Amino acid sequence: MTTLAPFGARLRQALDTRGQLCVGIDPHASLLTAWGLNDDVAGLETFSRTVVEALADRVAVLKPQAAFFERFGSRGIAVLERSVAEARAAGALVLMDAKRGDIGSTMAAYAETFLAEGSPLFSDALTVSPYLGFGSLQPALDLARAQGCGIFALALTSNPEGHEVQRAVGADGQSVAQAVLRRLAAENAGAEPLGSFGAVVGATLAEAGVDLAINGPLLAPGVGAQGATAKDLPRVFGASVRNVVPSVSRDVLKHGPSVAALREAAQVFIDDVSAVTNA
């Protein structure tokens, strides 16, 4: 049995005490170069550890993008393992952005990689893709619930290409995105103060056009470099805005390698979001 409280409860406390912000750890080549680092494992480690040092003791969520570590092979994965452990030790919730999605034993193996306590990559939550059918996520949902972890399923993403699938309408007249949200709401039924099963809904949407009242968190990419601002959140998320976790990467990370500048940039976003969600 896990000793962790449910992810939704831990996230609610983090958002209420640290502010509503998720910062991505996205060490792509251009950012490494901008920081004066080489695009190699040494540069990757310096980048990642600097972000953790600057932000893990003050932001609610850190979100490593697994692909930027995986591209360096086993040595990159080792850096990711250390970054996850150090971020969690400093108090941040770690959301692994891996967008895994498969069926049966393969989905179970993905879940065990990121959601099984004792795994080297054990994280507080994981992004998943429901587009092999929401039921294909069951091994991850079951393990997350047992381990006190969370799941964020792609619903309405910030990239325009996603709409051809996510806005498609099924035989029941519901969009694919709404069907995903409905299933997440069922998983979160009765949870207090917040369910552990969230959705990814882009902050760049002109309008959501779906029911976002899932009693769970809403990860909102697109704030910052992709064009959305804190002021867009009430329009997109409406009454669910207090459960939104805006995700910012480049517009914070570009201020490195200065630890002080990274902290200042993150605080600006925290304050901007607080101004609209607590109005």
Side-chain angles (χ1 to χ4, degrees):
M1 292 289 294
T2 182
T3 58
L4 292 175
F7 173 74
R10 294 188 289 126
L11 178 62
R12 178 78 274 158
Q13 181 179 24
L15 297 177
D16 290 346
T17 57
R18 294 187 171 202
Q20 289 175 241
L21 186 66
C22 167
V23 177
I25 306 180
D26 295 1
H28 49 73
S30 62
L31 268 175
L32 294 177
T33 300
W35 279 34
L37 300 171
N38 292 327
D39 185 22
D40 57 19
V41 174
L44 174 75
E45 179 146 31
T46 297
F47 182 97
S48 185
R49 299 191 91 161
T50 300
V51 175
V52 170
E53 176 191 351
L55 301 178
D57 66 344
R58 62 198 62 220
V59 302
V61 182
L62 285 177
K63 182 174 68 66
Q65 170 47 260
F68 291 119
F69 296 83
E70 292 169 347
R71 69 192 184 100
F72 292 104
S74 61
R75 292 182 300 161
I77 297 297
V79 173
L80 182 58
E81 291 173 1
R82 290 191 292 272
S83 299
V84 169
E86 290 170 4
R88 297 188 72 240
L93 296 175
V94 172
L95 167 57
M96 184 62 68
D97 195 356
K99 300 182 181 70
R100 297 300 195 248
D102 217 302
I103 61 171
S105 59
T106 308
M107 188 69 245
Y110 280 138
E112 289 166 7
T113 300
F114 300 108
L115 302 175
E117 196 167 7
S119 168
L121 287 168
F122 178 62
S123 304
D124 296 286
L126 172 68
T127 59
V128 296
S129 173
Y131 296 112
L132 286 173
F134 191 89
S136 67
L137 302 179
Q138 200 61 52
L141 297 171
D142 291 344
L143 186 59
R145 182 175 281 110
Q147 296 284 289
C149 295
I151 289 291
F152 286 85
L154 303 177
L156 279 174
T157 55
S158 57
N159 64 305
E161 301 90 346
H163 287 192
E164 65 188 65
V165 173
Q166 297 157 13
R167 296 287 191 184
V169 176
D172 60 358
Q174 282 192 327
S175 68
V176 172
Q178 186 63 77
V180 171
L181 292 161
R182 177 175 50 82
R183 295 290 293 271
L184 290 168
E187 295 289 339
N188 289 324
E192 294 182 359
L194 188 67
S196 297
F197 303 105
V200 180
V201 178
T204 54
L205 300 173
E207 60 177 354
V210 291
D211 183 1
L212 296 173
I214 63 170
N215 190 32
L218 300 163
L219 183 71
V223 176
Q226 292 186 49
T229 70
K231 293 180 180 179
D232 294 313
L233 299 178
R235 173 181 53 78
V236 176
F237 296 95
S240 298
V241 73
R242 280 198 68 248
N243 297 335
V244 170
V245 188
S247 180
V248 181
S249 295
R250 280 171 288 176
D251 266 24
V252 170
L253 300 177
K254 70 183 182 182
H255 295 279
S258 166
V259 166
L262 288 166
R263 290 174 175 171
E264 182 178 353
Q267 191 61 50
V268 167
F269 279 103
I270 291 170
D271 293 343
D272 286 349
V273 173
S274 178
V276 299
T277 59
N278 295 319

